[in-house]
Amino acid sequence: MMKGFFKAKPKTPTELVRHTRDLLIFADRSAAPDIKDAKRDEKMVELSKLIRDLKHILYGDSDSKPVSETCAQLTQEFFREDTLRLLIICLPKLNFETRKHATQIVANLQGQRLQSRLIACEYLEKNIDLMDILIAGYENNDLALHYGAMLRECIRHQSVAKYILDSDHMKKFFEFIQLPNFDIASDAAATFKELLTRHKSTVAEFLSKNDDWFFADYNSKLLVSTNYITRRQAVKLLGDILLDRSNSSVMIRYVSSRDNLRILMNLLRESSKSIQIEAFHVFKLFAANQNKPQDIVGILVANRTKLVRLIADINPEREDEQFDSDKTQVIREIAALELNQ
Amino acid sequence: MAYEEREDDDPRKAISINQHYPLDSNCYKILDEIGKGVSATVYKAICIPMESSVVAIKAIDLEKSKADFENVRREAQTMTLLYHPNILGAHCSFTVNTSLWVVMPFMSGGSLQSIIASSYPYGLPEPCIAAVLKEILCALSYLHDQGHLHRDIKAGNILIDSNGAVKLADFGVSASVYESSLSSAMFTDVTGTPYWMAPEVIHSHTGYEFKADIWSFGITALELAHGRPPLSHLPPSKSLMMEITKKFRFSDHYDKTKASKNKRFTKSFRDMVGLCLDHEPSKRPTPEKLLKHSFFKNCIGLDHFLIKNVLQGVPPVEQRFKSKSSDEDDEGDDDSSTGEIVEHGRISGWSFNGEEFELDPVFPADDEQVVIQERGNEENVEGCYAGSGSVGGAAVSLLDSMLFLRESLDDQRQRVGQVIALLGGHEWGETRREEQLMQEILQLSDE
């Protein structure tokens, strides 16, 4: 390198990342600022500025678009050592604005490629415990939205999503998405949905391995929740999951359970039209199942009149031919049911 | 810049304040309704455990939102993550049955749109405009630096509190360039309120960036100066605007009104607005650059004083809302409902006329016949249009009759409204209503 010739030149991305790393190590070690410490403050201001600069390299700014070569250098240096980890664990020590920049950097790095390799994915596979830190963020009001946004980017990598699906963290999401703070609850719900829909084969594998506890919790904690938004999101997501071709065997098992049917029938009776409509999309699978167990047939026949009337009354706000034809078919199916003694 | 000054602030300040506001509807007592849209109502309320401090609560009807609540989530998070003196943030948000409550600071002055409507029908004095716009530029500078587009800048979204502080509000249609679901900084969905929308937003096939906010900022400047946005004497439907602007050319609408007849604007004001309304987005200045414009040089320190002057004698926001709701014709203020019309509209072009200080419609050329097709069954726009760029003789002769008509346009709109009401037009949908409006207008022009 001919560094000497270019003293006036702005720092290279590599140098910027190194300098950031040094300051992050400092921030990580230094205690909380109980007393005014001018020297520490100075370093933290410098760190904030560096993080901001890094973000501008990755995203460009009002005058310039990002340069892929520069981004590549930055990415390479970031993952050469443990800068990503430092940035994540030091987040609580950064100020409000800098936290947002840091979040955007972490998010952006997930998609950067070096010789077509997703370098962030390789790094996270070796440092998968970082996901534990990010998920725990949902329990901290100050960090939840930042860690949540990072997390959603990280689970774009299939192996990372698989790690979380296979972990005990999945159970915690049932609590997170019902937190009273809407910002955080809805963020957790978005992540939960992403985990259960993004990587088809991984999701199918997770569901078939875990469908006993998963759907039991899903029913008891989400579908019968007292919280309207939880019920509505849950029944919508359930429909998305069950209607996905790759989950067909899970779906068949789901619609063969009378407990599940009961819950869906109750959702059909909700006063919320939106919930009724989403519930119908799941309910129709019970009716359409060509190998209905006898107890399912029994429930449907016993409630036939009520169900037909209820379903006939469900009408989406906008005209929807598909919905109408589904309705007709479900009603026909239920009407034709006979009990085999 | 404003955000840099705040670097040394305690980072947790904003958040720890938030934590004090309870996430329980029983802790709030609603006093008055102060705003209403299609899917949200805004109330003045007090927070009982916090020494009965006054807050505003926006209650969003979730039954009217899509089930993934993506928009609602984004709006709520945006309000939490943006922290700037000129941006209306949220104290907290939580669900109450089928509503989402967003608890916000109460802005007792209400929106500039409502202030103008109640007390300044012919626009604000120029120094006040400068003071207000300067604050909004600070907000925009911060917002754009954060990677956010506001996408609905207008006087109706500029709020004032009792101290004269000016805040940009309503992030219901804002977007972030950092959201990974958006592949780049270009957006292609049509959002916003028609009069304030930049051409490249309307011609959405090209996508748009931050500069669209600058255009809307320029239109907002005109709105504050004249008391209403340009072309607002037409109903807020883009397809109708297209029909009319294709055939007729409006000259200055404003100088017909008595009070603004002799209104003179300084050269620096006209120049500033002209820069914002450049048709080429890349030529429009950034908020930082605009802040250095001579128009904003003289309003340092005077801001609050001037705004307090503006507020003097203006009835309280809850009173204004009540008198407005009893008024039938509240079109233009209700962003939610106008926003809905935007969804299936289409557009014309227009250009800024520096001399007249207003916006002129532009005849679309053949090669830029832009049709945003969101619904298949809308009326055919291209069919009606004859020349490209040249104003034909027929158009010129029609101009005279249109000039005459313009003055009675408000009357016409009322008449049309009555016709529509008689025919039960609301159920017929947008297309039907627009056809009727066009017929009415054409009929009138034959008279």
Side-chain angles (χ1 to χ4, degrees):
Chain A
M1 292 288 260
M2 301 183 291
K3 258 185 206 162
F5 289 108
F6 299 106
K7 270 203 174 125
K9 231 182 144 184
K11 283 188 180 171
T12 65
T14 312
E15 287 166 340
L16 283 175
V17 175
R18 276 187 201 154
H19 195 178
T20 306
R21 182 169 178 275
D22 292 343
L23 287 171
L24 283 170
I25 291 171
F26 168 81
D28 186 34
R29 284 184 191 152
S30 71
D34 284 334
I35 342 144
K36 249 314 196 200
D37 179 345
K39 205 171 168 196
R40 183 189 181 278
D41 288 351
E42 199 179 298
K43 285 198 174 186
M44 291 309 282
V45 168
E46 197 182 347
L47 177 59
S48 293
K49 211 177 145 293
L50 277 167
I51 290 176
R52 196 184 147 80
D53 290 346
L54 293 177
K55 188 194 93 166
H56 280 152
I57 291 175
L58 290 170
Y59 286 93
D61 50 38
S62 54
D63 304 320
S64 56
K65 297 232 177 303
V67 181
S68 55
E69 178 56 29
T70 322
C71 291
Q73 286 171 20
L74 188 154
T75 308
Q76 186 150 36
E77 182 60 27
F78 229 94
F79 290 111
R80 201 176 59 81
E81 284 179 284
D82 55 355
T83 315
L84 189 85
R85 173 182 293 273
L86 280 166
L87 190 57
I88 290 174
I89 58 176
C90 289
L91 199 81
K93 306 204 169 175
L94 305 177
N95 70 32
F96 187 66
E97 294 299 328
T98 309
R99 286 178 190 181
K100 290 187 278 183
H101 297 314
T103 301
Q104 287 159 354
I105 291 171
V106 174
N108 183 290
L109 288 173
Q110 302 311 312
Q112 293 285 347
R113 287 170 192 269
L114 289 183
Q115 287 106 40
S116 83
R117 280 162 47 230
L118 278 171
I119 187 166
C121 181
E122 293 169 13
Y123 177 86
L124 289 179
E125 282 169 9
K126 290 186 206 118
N127 293 274
I128 202 71
D129 63 300
L130 286 174
M131 294 306 107
D132 307 339
I133 297 174
L134 295 185
I135 292 169
Y138 282 122
E139 291 166 45
N140 181 326
N141 282 354
D142 290 349
L143 302 175
L145 295 188
H146 306 292
Y147 279 170
M150 291 184 194
L151 180 61
R152 258 194 315 290
E153 292 301 319
C154 292
I155 59 176
R156 291 156 80 96
H157 308 303
Q158 188 154 6
S159 52
V160 176
K162 183 172 162 45
Y163 165 78
I164 298 171
L165 283 167
D166 291 342
S167 72
D168 277 344
H169 294 309
M170 281 310 280
K171 293 194 166 136
K172 291 191 202 150
F173 274 93
F174 290 89
E175 319 297 328
F176 295 154
I177 63 184
Q178 300 198 66
L179 287 168
N181 184 323
F182 176 77
D183 290 340
I184 299 173
S186 61
D187 195 278
T191 308
F192 188 64
K193 182 188 171 192
E194 192 76 359
L195 283 167
L196 289 165
T197 50
R198 186 168 186 103
H199 305 286
K200 308 283 181 205
S201 60
T202 310
V203 173
E205 191 194 332
F206 161 76
L207 290 174
S208 51
K209 268 196 293 192
N210 297 283
D211 80 339
D212 46 341
W213 77 262
F214 180 79
F215 286 112
D217 274 21
Y218 202 96
N219 288 347
S220 66
K221 290 183 175 158
L222 306 184
L223 291 179
V224 302
S225 164
T226 51
N227 186 331
Y228 158 84
I229 202 168
T230 303
R231 287 199 309 284
R232 189 165 155 208
Q233 277 177 311
V235 67
K236 167 80 167 85
L237 178 58
L238 180 63
D240 291 347
I241 292 170
L242 297 180
L243 283 159
D244 194 303
R245 213 174 266 272
S246 54
N247 297 327
S248 56
S249 60
V250 174
M251 186 270 283
I252 295 292
R253 246 172 300 157
Y254 190 88
V255 300
S256 302
S257 148
R258 53 187 291 167
D259 289 340
N260 294 344
L261 176 61
R262 271 212 196 91
I263 286 178
L264 266 302
M265 280 168 55
N266 280 329
L267 289 168
L268 275 181
R269 286 169 43 202
E270 285 254 357
S271 56
S272 154
K273 200 172 178 178
S274 314
I275 291 182
Q276 280 189 316
I277 289 171
E278 297 303 339
F280 173 78
H281 285 303
V282 179
F283 176 80
K284 71 186 179 192
L285 298 170
F286 286 90
N289 179 9
Q290 290 310 304
N291 299 303
K292 294 181 201 64
Q294 275 309 299
D295 52 348
I296 297 281
V297 177
I299 294 173
L300 292 176
V301 168
N303 296 282
R304 174 150 47 200
T305 329
K306 269 189 253 170
L307 279 170
V308 169
R309 202 182 307 138
L310 197 59
I311 290 165
D313 280 347
I314 302 178
N315 291 305
E317 209 107 313
R318 294 187 176 200
E319 219 166 280
D320 183 343
E321 275 178 32
Q322 184 61 45
F323 192 88
D324 290 344
S325 105
D326 282 359
K327 247 169 68 171
T328 316
Q329 209 183 327
V330 167
I331 290 173
R332 204 177 290 152
E333 193 77 45
I334 296 174
L337 281 178
E338 275 173 47
L339 273 180
N340 290 337
Q341 291 304 331
Chain B
M1 271 174 290
Y3 59 82
E4 275 173 352
E5 289 160 20
R6 294 174 32 255
E7 289 278 340
D8 323 75
D9 280 6
D10 178 357
R12 269 144 292 185
K13 205 157 91 188
I15 296 162
S16 59
I17 291 168
N18 289 349
Q19 283 171 343
H20 289 155
Y21 281 86
L23 302 165
D24 176 357
S25 63
N26 293 321
C27 297
Y28 300 87
K29 185 169 174 243
I30 287 179
L31 304 177
D32 264 308
E33 195 172 310
I34 52 173
K36 198 169 174 61
V38 164
S39 58
T41 307
V42 184
Y43 300 99
K44 178 183 181 180
I46 50 172
C47 178
I48 301 159
M50 294 197 66
E51 296 166 342
S52 291
S53 63
V54 182
V55 293
I57 295 175
K58 180 174 180 179
I60 300 169
D61 181 0
L62 294 172
E63 272 290 281
K64 292 189 174 130
S65 297
K66 283 196 189 145
D68 59 5
F69 300 111
E70 194 56 30
N71 287 345
V72 189
R73 175 176 75 88
R74 200 173 294 156
E75 179 179 357
Q77 289 195 352
T78 301
M79 289 180 78
T80 305
L81 290 174
L82 295 176
Y83 181 57
H84 186 274
N86 297 116
I87 286 178
L88 184 69
H91 292 314
C92 65
S93 53
F94 53 90
T95 55
V96 182
N97 300 319
T98 63
S99 293
L100 174 69
W101 280 22
V102 184
V103 182
M104 305 175 288
F106 176 64
M107 303 294 286
S108 63
S111 82
L112 273 174
Q113 193 278 333
S114 79
I115 291 171
I116 288 172
S118 92
S119 307
Y120 298 87
Y122 302 115
L124 292 172
E126 210 177 292
C128 292
I129 297 174
V132 168
L133 291 182
K134 193 180 180 187
E135 304 290 305
I136 295 308
L137 282 177
C138 291
L140 271 183
S141 166
Y142 173 78
L143 208 58
H144 288 181
D145 182 68
Q146 297 278 318
H148 278 282
L149 308 178
H150 186 279
R151 304 211 288 184
D152 202 12
I153 292 169
K154 56 180 182 181
N157 284 336
I158 299 174
L159 307 182
I160 298 189
D161 73 10
S162 52
N163 297 317
V166 177
K167 290 182 201 281
L168 186 59
D170 201 340
F171 293 84
V173 293
S174 71
S176 167
V177 297
Y178 300 123
E179 290 274 334
S180 58
S181 54
L182 304 159
S183 54
S184 73
M186 303 294 268
F187 298 88
T188 48
D189 52 332
V190 175
T191 315
T193 311
Y195 311 124
W196 292 264
M197 278 166 73
E200 72 274 14
V201 175
I202 302 173
H203 296 245
S204 64
H205 63 306
T206 57
Y208 59 97
E209 285 179 285
F210 299 104
K211 295 302 177 64
D213 276 348
I214 301 296
W215 173 281
S216 308
F217 175 81
I219 299 292
T220 304
L222 288 178
E223 185 186 10
L224 298 179
H226 293 302
R228 50 161 56 175
L231 306 180
S232 63
H233 44 300
L234 302 175
S237 150
K238 284 178 297 178
S239 46
L240 181 61
M241 243 188 244
M242 176 72 131
E243 294 282 354
I244 292 175
T245 54
K246 264 186 333 210
K247 292 176 188 147
F248 319 110
R249 190 178 176 88
F250 289 95
S251 68
D252 193 359
H253 163 71
Y254 297 110
D255 59 15
K256 285 281 174 187
T257 52
K258 269 179 258 160
S260 65
K261 200 170 184 174
N262 296 318
K263 202 163 175 177
R264 295 257 177 244
F265 296 100
T266 60
K267 191 177 173 303
S268 75
F269 188 21
R270 286 184 292 164
D271 179 64
M272 191 279 292
V273 174
L275 292 171
C276 298
L277 299 181
D278 194 310
H279 259 256
E280 177 54 48
S282 62
K283 288 187 186 153
R284 288 173 215 153
T286 59
E288 295 77 29
K289 215 164 176 188
L290 278 170
L291 277 168
K292 291 182 190 132
H293 192 277
S294 61
F295 180 58
F296 299 107
K297 284 266 158 64
N298 299 322
C299 62
I300 305 156
L302 292 169
D303 315 21
H304 289 192
F305 169 75
L306 283 169
I307 292 152
K308 272 185 180 165
N309 280 0
V310 168
L311 286 174
Q312 288 234 322
V314 176
V317 62
E318 48 274 51
Q319 258 178 46
R320 296 204 302 267
F321 175 74
K322 275 173 200 147
S323 58
K324 191 183 80 121
S325 348
S326 58
D327 233 15
E328 262 192 358
D329 179 33
D330 63 349
E331 157 268 303
D333 184 38
D334 185 344
D335 36 296
S336 310
S337 64
T338 50
E340 203 158 274
I341 296 167
V342 177
E343 267 177 46
H344 27 87
R346 73 172 68 94
I347 343 325
S348 70
W350 42 73
S351 69
F352 179 63
N353 180 335
E355 287 288 302
E356 308 273 352
F357 202 54
E358 74 136 44
L359 214 53
D360 284 343
V362 168
F363 297 85
D366 269 347
D367 58 353
E368 55 161 309
Q369 275 178 354
V370 181
V371 178
I372 300 166
Q373 207 63 57
E374 285 195 45
R375 287 192 156 185
N377 59 347
E378 283 184 336
E379 75 273 49
N380 183 349
V381 170
E382 296 97 309
C384 324
Y385 179 58
S388 70
S390 62
V391 184
V396 171
S397 67
L398 272 168
L399 181 65
D400 289 331
S401 57
M402 284 312 288
L403 284 172
F404 166 74
L405 279 169
R406 196 177 47 200
E407 284 165 308
S408 63
L409 258 169
D410 282 344
D411 292 350
Q412 289 168 42
R413 199 165 61 209
Q414 268 186 358
R415 282 177 56 182
V416 175
Q418 286 160 0
V419 173
I420 291 169
L422 272 172
L423 295 173
H426 285 300
E427 282 161 29
W428 296 15
E430 197 58 33
T431 313
R432 201 67 203 141
R433 204 187 78 172
E434 281 164 15
E435 274 171 19
Q436 286 178 1
L437 277 163
M438 272 317 294
Q439 278 171 11
E440 269 290 308
I441 290 171
L442 290 175
Q443 247 175 36
L444 283 160
S445 67
D446 290 340
E447 276 166 21

